[in-house]
Amino acid sequence: MNLKPLGDRVVVEREEAKGTTAGGIVLPETAKDKPQKGTVLSVGDGRVTKDGKRRELQVKAGDVVIFTSYAGEEFKLDGDKKVLLMREDDILAVVG
């Protein structure tokens, strides 16, 4: 399934949570923290400004980004693949 976001929305694939601690303890699914880092898969056309013009988004497909902990809505695509659909405002930084 190809997901094309609208407006100032972005589709992000969250990084995998680490399965073990630094000391080697294996963590169950319920104890893993959800990473706040991921890769942008696709972006919308941009935000419409007050004067009616469309402003392009600052991120693009392929960027690795850091986002807020409660950013976006999680969706399942093609079986087990999960993605987040969020607004550009939820993105805090691009990892360079």
Side-chain angles (χ1 to χ4, degrees):
M1 177 190 302
N2 191 8
L3 194 61
K4 175 67 176 159
L6 301 175
D8 66 337
R9 290 179 175 81
V10 178
V11 177
V12 176
E13 183 176 16
R14 188 189 304 259
E15 277 190 359
E16 289 290 322
K18 297 194 181 208
T20 58
T21 65
I25 298 171
V26 177
L27 297 172
E29 281 297 317
T30 55
K32 292 180 185 176
D33 288 331
K34 291 186 177 181
Q36 296 172 322
K37 187 176 178 184
T39 303
V40 175
L41 299 179
S42 60
V43 298
D45 296 331
R47 177 180 296 163
V48 177
T49 60
K50 291 180 183 178
D51 61 358
K53 295 181 181 175
R54 193 169 291 275
R55 182 185 65 84
E56 287 187 23
L57 300 183
Q58 294 176 308
V59 296
K60 61 186 179 309
D63 284 348
V64 176
V65 295
I66 297 173
F67 45 87
T68 61
S69 58
Y70 296 103
E73 296 292 324
E74 192 170 75
F75 293 94
K76 278 189 177 181
L77 296 180
D78 301 329
D80 290 343
K81 184 176 180 182
K82 292 181 183 177
V83 296
L84 291 170
L85 180 62
M86 66 180 72
R87 292 193 175 275
E88 182 187 36
D89 292 343
D90 292 332
I91 296 174
L92 303 173
V94 176
V95 178

